[in-house]
Amino acid sequence: GLLWATNGACRGFHPASPHLSGVEARRWNDHDRPKEFNFASDVLDYWTQVEEEGKRPPRPALWWVNEQGDQVKWSFRELTDFSRRTANVLTQACGLRQGDRLALILPRVPEWWLVAIGCIRTGIIFMPGTTQMKAKDILYRLQASKAQGIMTSDTLAPEVDSVASECPALKIKLLVSDHSREGWQDFQSLLKSASPDHTCIKSKTLDPMVIFFTSGTTGLPKMAKHNHGLAFRSSVPSCRELLQLKTSDIFWCLSDPGWILAVLGSMIEPWTSGSTLFIHNLPQFDPKVIVQTLWKYPITHCLAAPIVFRMILQKDFGSLRFPTLQYCLTGGEALLPEEQQQWQRQTGTPLHQAYGQSETGICCGTLKNMESKPGSMGKAILPYDVQIIDSKGNVLPPNTEGNIGIRIKPTKPLGIFMCYENDPGKTAETECGDFYNTGDKATIDEEGYIWFLGRSDDVINSSGYRIGPAEVENALAEHPAVAESGVVSSPDPTRGEVVKAFVVLAPQFLSHDKAKLTKELQEHVKSVTAPYKYPRKVEFVTELPKTITGKIKRSDLRKKEWGQVSQDEAR
Ligand code: BCO
């Protein structure tokens, strides 16, 4: 029972109608730095007004479907109204204020978009999180951010309740559900009674907008805080070149709403161009459903992690010549040149790479009309100045391995994160001379194309997920069989890398069946933290390589795993 589920076509939706292109709708230049910017009022309400002035026929802003055949279609007018109501729910019914934090942990349901936009309208800082999280992950996020509110669904509400008493700042729990739950506010009923009149805040571009939790080599995930510049960046002409979306385009980004890729791809990018955002609720990932969806709906552009394209190519689906698909973009992990070429051959549509992080948004890519060099992530996208730097922040010449850096001095470009919240030390560690150091290694060629090589630290990138080894080691340490463990990446043909745990067993477990123990440890990790982090490979060892101070030398384990070959060579 979605409040707004419809089964018919959207009013006034004419696929063949003339359109304004995103390019014509440009209002800013690459180097503009407006003092004030708000994605809701400057972009969404802009398109609503354009439609109301009859400058283009109404088109769906959002088109949501599920496997049961339900669908939701909203015009920009409806999106504006619903998100204004949501803003009133958040501020009036829930009493949240500008600067408060709201954890937003929902599957792909339309409410996610309303709340994200409602937060932007009110200046409430939203913190997206994947629904794979477990109670402990949620507790950490609520405590670290001192969140005043959380919004989630039935599945995670009990997990939240199990830790809520340890979160003194938490005063609002909002539920998206058909049932009521004690201690929780029912979002849909609040929405029904909320007024559609709301005045958007006049946010400064440098005011905080969103926080993403992102994993690092050590410790728990860091809070990468972004201002409204993240949304503004997508409005500048150079960034529009990446996808060159037109208002008639239908754009599908498959990323889970917990990641920055979804905030950009499932919200900012398509709506900046006045295009239709397509969403499939995808409760479980199944390549067959992706292929069927591309056959069934008039999707023109698709953005997904490389693993999605790879998994489709690895299965035999017959023809992949989708009727309306024109262009695909990928990011989040490396894509092999042969995979890119195979996709292009089989579908007849280009598949380009882009690159970015939770800290940076998309910072380079092969633009839609740019010549693609298979295996390269494309070129820097203005106004970012992306260079390959050494450990002191010196710019390296072409074809020399170094770290990917983005110039932040003398002026920090809009779009890059503000800081790791509450962690000036870790923020400072990312600064290297005049650059933000991504920690990713690459080379740049004479033409400015960037070639990814791998991480320069212990962070694991599996299927597009950034995984901190310490998070997995800590989860393993909670199991009585584990005396200690070292967690590193290991090559994998589908996931690029997977998490591998080298485990030293506690003496009383030495005689246990190893296959059973492996399964048990995997299930244990899945039960105490978000399951995407679980070690897909486990090896039992008698000791771990250590430094003289007793620190586990993950680099030795990694070398063993990758057979002494560097990660890029192995790919
Ligand atoms: O493979 P297994 O079956 O053994 O385990 C899977 C799931 O079955 C399991 N699981 C999931 N939910 C669970 C659960 N187990 C218990 N309880 C639950 N509630 O855990 C494992 C999770 O692994 P997965 O998520 O990789 O699963 P799957 O189905 O293989 O998903 C495939 C993809 C492609 C959907 C997934 O890997 C994916 O979404 N990858 C892309 C990530 C992404 O979007 N990255 C972008 C980050 S943003 C960025 O990079 C910056 C760019 C500007």
Side-chain angles (χ1 to χ4, degrees):
L2 280 160
L3 179 65
W4 36 70
T6 60
N7 259 313
C10 183
R11 279 177 283 118
F13 176 35
H14 305 296
S17 28
H19 53 257
L20 272 175
S21 75
V23 178
E24 286 164 61
R26 257 178 209 173
R27 288 166 289 158
W28 291 281
N29 287 314
D30 280 343
H31 296 281
D32 280 348
R33 292 178 71 87
K35 247 193 137 96
E36 287 176 352
F37 181 81
N38 187 288
F39 181 71
S41 56
D42 285 316
V43 174
L44 295 182
D45 299 349
Y46 166 81
W47 287 115
T48 301
Q49 198 190 333
V50 166
E51 287 186 355
E52 264 163 22
E53 287 168 359
K55 291 188 184 148
R56 71 165 205 175
R59 297 186 53 81
L62 176 143
W63 184 359
W64 177 96
V65 303
N66 68 11
E67 270 175 280
Q68 289 71 50
D70 300 318
Q71 58 176 335
V72 173
K73 273 183 183 171
W74 292 332
S75 63
F76 279 93
R77 171 81 263 164
E78 287 164 316
L79 185 62
T80 286
D81 285 353
F82 283 134
S83 60
R84 283 179 177 162
R85 281 176 192 264
T86 305
N88 286 326
V89 168
L90 296 173
T91 50
Q92 289 172 11
C94 301
L96 295 171
R97 288 194 304 251
Q98 182 165 7
D100 283 353
R101 282 108 197 263
L102 178 81
L104 180 54
I105 313 173
L106 283 175
R108 296 172 183 86
V109 289
E111 289 85 349
W112 186 92
W113 282 264
L114 293 187
V115 173
I117 301 294
C119 285
I120 295 175
R121 286 193 187 284
T122 51
I124 295 163
I125 302 165
F126 65 109
M127 305 188 298
T130 168
T131 51
Q132 285 199 25
M133 282 195 286
K134 296 284 179 270
K136 232 177 132 183
D137 304 310
I138 297 173
L139 173 65
Y140 166 66
R141 279 161 173 75
L142 293 176
Q143 287 183 335
S145 64
K146 299 191 178 66
Q148 287 82 359
I150 186 164
M151 178 161 188
T152 192
S153 61
D154 283 331
T155 330
L156 281 175
E159 306 260 349
V160 175
D161 281 338
S162 71
V163 297
S165 63
E166 297 167 65
C167 308
L170 189 68
K171 57 177 187 185
I172 289 295
K173 294 185 290 180
L174 266 173
L175 188 66
V176 178
S177 168
D178 291 339
H179 318 282
S180 58
R181 185 178 172 91
E182 212 192 308
W184 290 73
Q185 307 239 35
D186 174 33
F187 177 71
Q188 295 212 352
S189 351
L190 294 175
L191 191 71
K192 269 188 208 156
S193 51
S195 156
D197 297 324
H198 180 268
T199 308
C200 186
I201 57 154
K202 279 203 170 305
S203 49
K204 303 249 183 328
T205 312
L206 300 183
D207 284 345
M209 181 182 88
V210 56
I211 289 176
F212 300 102
F213 283 79
T214 183
S215 296
T217 289
T218 54
L220 293 160
K222 296 166 282 186
M223 291 190 277
K225 183 162 83 168
H226 278 271
N227 53 36
H228 292 268
L230 178 72
F232 172 76
R233 176 170 156 77
S234 286
S235 288
V236 305
S238 286
C239 294
R240 307 309 319 136
E241 295 297 315
L242 181 65
L243 287 154
Q244 293 194 3
L245 290 170
K246 301 184 296 297
T247 58
S248 54
D249 283 323
I250 299 180
F251 184 82
W252 185 22
C253 167
L254 279 79
S255 187
D256 179 286
W259 311 118
I260 190 171
L261 196 58
V263 169
L264 295 171
S266 280
M267 191 166 91
I268 295 171
E269 281 295 326
W271 287 342
T272 297
S273 298
S275 317
T276 300
L277 165 66
F278 181 86
I279 307 152
H280 191 300
N281 82 325
L282 290 177
Q284 261 108 40
F285 178 72
D286 179 358
K288 197 165 130 215
V289 175
I290 314 287
V291 169
Q292 285 168 344
T293 305
L294 288 170
W295 276 109
K296 186 168 171 190
Y297 297 98
I299 294 156
T300 59
H301 290 64
C302 182
L303 168 62
I307 181 178
V308 173
F309 300 101
R310 203 176 289 137
M311 280 182 163
I312 294 174
L313 291 172
Q314 285 172 359
K315 294 232 155 61
D316 183 13
F317 287 114
S319 169
L320 293 178
R321 297 256 153 190
F322 304 112
T324 51
L325 191 66
Q326 293 169 14
Y327 184 64
C328 299
L329 186 69
T330 192
E333 50 148 342
L335 176 76
L336 292 174
E338 49 275 25
E339 291 164 349
Q340 186 173 349
Q341 284 155 338
Q342 197 187 347
W343 178 267
Q344 292 181 181
R345 236 185 356 260
Q346 293 198 24
T347 62
T349 59
L351 170 59
H352 285 176
Q353 274 197 71
Y355 161 84
Q357 298 184 324
S358 300
E359 290 86 342
T360 63
I362 295 173
C363 44
C364 62
T366 301
L367 308 179
K368 192 173 184 186
N369 282 348
M370 198 167 108
E371 189 205 336
S372 161
K373 292 193 184 180
S376 158
M377 311 188 299
K379 299 185 187 183
I381 302 176
L382 283 172
Y384 282 180
D385 175 7
V386 182
Q387 300 287 348
I388 304 303
I389 54 168
D390 68 12
S391 58
K392 296 196 171 69
N394 298 308
V395 175
L396 293 170
N399 307 314
T400 313
E401 182 176 326
N403 280 341
I404 301 174
I406 301 173
R407 195 181 294 279
I408 50 169
K409 286 176 193 163
T411 314
K412 204 172 186 176
L414 292 178
I416 208 159
F417 76 130
M418 303 166 76
C419 62
Y420 295 124
E421 184 71 339
N422 303 333
D423 206 338
K426 285 217 163 113
T427 308
E429 277 171 29
T430 64
E431 288 175 16
C432 183
D434 290 348
F435 290 86
Y436 160 74
N437 180 359
T438 60
D440 284 322
K441 288 181 298 177
T443 58
I444 190 162
D445 67 18
E446 284 83 0
E447 289 173 323
Y449 283 80
I450 298 167
W451 302 78
F452 185 79
L453 295 174
R455 285 295 298 176
S456 57
D457 57 17
D458 293 339
V459 167
I460 302 162
N461 188 340
S462 178
S463 331
Y465 294 119
R466 182 160 143 179
I467 300 168
E471 294 170 54
V472 186
E473 289 162 359
N474 291 345
L476 283 167
E478 288 176 32
H479 192 282
V482 178
E484 58 179 352
S485 71
V487 166
V488 295
S489 64
S490 173
D492 181 82
T494 304
R495 294 174 186 272
E497 311 179 350
V498 290
V499 174
K500 171 151 184 183
F502 289 87
V503 175
V504 178
L505 285 174
Q508 66 274 30
F509 284 86
L510 284 171
S511 58
H512 283 223
D513 181 287
K514 299 293 180 294
K516 264 198 197 147
L517 258 184
T518 297
K519 190 92 204 110
E520 199 179 313
L521 292 179
Q522 290 174 327
E523 290 308 314
H524 164 77
V525 174
K526 281 185 179 182
S527 72
V528 296
T529 191
Y532 68 83
K533 296 182 216 167
Y534 88 90
R536 287 176 188 270
K537 294 183 186 172
V538 177
E539 185 176 330
F540 297 102
V541 290
T542 48
E543 58 177 352
L544 292 168
K546 292 199 177 142
T547 62
I548 36 172
T549 57
K551 243 182 98 192
I552 295 167
K553 282 161 92 178
R554 293 200 192 100
S555 55
D556 283 11
L557 296 172
R558 201 162 45 235
K559 267 190 212 136
K560 173 174 178 312
E561 220 26 53
W562 291 82
Q564 305 294 334
V565 216
S566 74
Q567 295 180 11
D568 48 299
E569 284 172 272
R571 281 180 179 171

